[in-house]
Amino acid sequence: MPHASQVLSFDEHSRNSAGLSYVYPVISRRTGGVSIGINLNPNHACNWRCVYCQVPAPRRGAAPPIHIGLLARELRGFLRQVLDGDFMIRRVPPEARRLSDIALSGNGEPTLSPNFDEVLECIAQIMDEFHLNGRIKLLLLTNGSLLSRLRVRQGLTQMAARNGEIWFKVDSASRMGMYRINGIRQVVKRMTHNIALAARTCPTWLQTCLFAWDGQPPPPEETQAYLKLLRNLQADCVPLRGVHLYGPSRPVQRPEAVHVSRLPAAWMRDFALRVEGLGIPVKLVT
């Protein structure tokens, strides 16, 4: 377990880095600052099984109820350290000494939480207390599979009112690819519907993890299916903010780790250009 006083880095995303139950800090590769993570899956449970998963001891299952009082105490206490204490000086390198966001992420799918809407209400109240609205973002990193649930949609409405963004996981746009990469049986039409629902509720980016399998990049049929999905979303006037493209940055915790590796930077840049060619903004994290 990392010591609660060690200096953070872009490669260290331990959920135990602050010694707390739900709250943990990371330096985000995508925002370039300190992100306060909210881990709603302390039991490491998720409803997907991604081959590149970097969560220690991941498992399939349900998330436990969140102790809202404990979450509130941890978040308030940690924000005081970041905003008024010496946290930034002690634990953050100079180039990242700014608070960029509060992110619902953690060790599994956040929307599995049985009191997800209460969590968002709690975070929103604390953001009001610390006058953070408009100053930082409230992020949800999600696979989007549970957007039909009322409490999830209510939570997204809370997010939209507080400078929120959804980062919606799309690693493949083919049924076979989703099964191979994410371990799910989902039709593309359903995923497309959920992306549109998210984007029309709250500002939404797609987040796509790209990697080599046994040293080979994604096959042409996969990249073509992905670009087709983007074109279909455009044709339906879905208001996407853009696409995050990135690769695995920490050790993979699945048995499939022997097959997974980072793609060459040139391949990533070329694919980013193909997405940008559709008129869609891209944030490429290499």
Side-chain angles (χ1 to χ4, degrees):
M1 179 184 299
H3 193 275
S5 64
Q6 77 178 44
V7 176
L8 299 173
S9 71
F10 288 99
D11 297 327
E12 173 54 64
H13 281 202
S14 170
R15 285 23 170 181
N16 299 315
S17 60
L20 301 173
S21 297
Y22 300 122
V23 174
Y24 63 99
V26 299
I27 300 178
S28 171
R29 289 192 297 159
R30 284 182 266 181
T31 66
V34 174
S35 173
I36 298 180
I38 309 295
N39 182 15
L40 303 187
N41 306 77
N43 63 345
H44 298 202
C46 190
N47 61 340
W48 285 22
R49 188 190 182 284
C50 300
V51 296
Y52 59 82
C53 184
Q54 297 159 11
V55 172
R59 69 180 185 85
R60 267 199 160 132
I66 300 302
H67 188 308
I68 298 295
L70 176 58
L71 170 60
R73 289 194 296 275
E74 289 189 354
L75 183 54
R76 285 191 181 99
F78 197 76
L79 280 170
R80 291 188 191 104
Q81 292 182 46
V82 170
L83 299 174
D84 302 319
D86 62 353
F87 175 84
M88 290 291 192
I89 301 298
R90 287 189 300 106
R91 301 203 53 198
V92 181
E95 66 273 17
R97 285 178 183 164
R98 67 178 188 87
L99 178 60
S100 62
D101 60 81
I102 296 174
L104 286 90
S105 180
N107 288 342
E109 169 54 39
T111 61
L112 281 170
S113 171
N115 47 347
F116 180 78
D117 52 338
E118 294 178 74
V119 168
L120 264 297
E121 184 176 351
C122 170
I123 295 172
Q125 179 182 336
I126 293 173
M127 288 182 70
D128 287 341
E129 291 174 14
F130 284 81
H131 307 290
L132 292 173
N133 288 318
R135 294 172 54 195
I136 67 170
K137 289 192 177 294
L138 176 59
L139 304 180
L140 170 66
L141 281 65
T142 179
N143 61 35
S145 60
L146 303 176
L147 295 188
S148 62
R149 293 184 177 181
L150 178 60
R151 65 172 176 268
V152 176
R153 296 200 304 274
Q154 290 172 335
L156 299 189
T157 301
Q158 290 268 14
M159 289 187 59
R162 285 171 171 79
N163 199 30
E165 277 187 2
I166 299 169
W167 292 2
F168 193 117
K169 179 195 293 287
V170 178
D171 297 323
S172 172
S174 76
R175 191 168 187 173
M176 182 177 298
M178 285 186 281
Y179 181 72
R180 181 178 64 85
I181 296 171
N182 307 121
I184 57 166
R185 298 186 185 278
Q186 178 175 245
V187 295
V188 177
K189 184 177 180 180
R190 179 64 179 173
M191 179 178 67
T192 306
H193 170 81
N194 285 345
I195 294 170
L197 177 60
R200 288 171 176 149
T201 304
C202 186
T204 298
W205 292 77
L206 301 188
Q207 55 165 349
T208 301
C209 184
L210 295 166
F211 55 90
W213 185 267
D214 290 337
Q216 298 300 310
E221 56 268 26
E222 276 294 311
T223 55
Q224 290 165 8
Y226 187 92
L227 296 171
K228 179 181 178 182
L229 169 69
L230 296 180
R231 288 192 293 267
N232 289 342
L233 291 169
Q234 288 178 310
D236 199 28
C237 298
V238 175
L240 278 183
R241 287 297 176 93
V243 175
H244 292 171
L245 299 178
Y246 65 100
S249 61
R250 301 181 303 281
V252 175
Q253 301 293 328
R254 294 288 188 189
E256 293 90 346
V258 295
H259 302 286
V260 175
S261 61
R262 290 177 64 82
L263 287 161
W267 192 99
M268 296 284 286
R269 287 194 298 269
D270 179 69
F271 189 66
L273 289 173
R274 295 176 70 184
V275 174
E276 288 176 336
L278 301 177
I280 297 174
V282 174
K283 292 184 179 180
L284 176 61
V285 182
T286 56

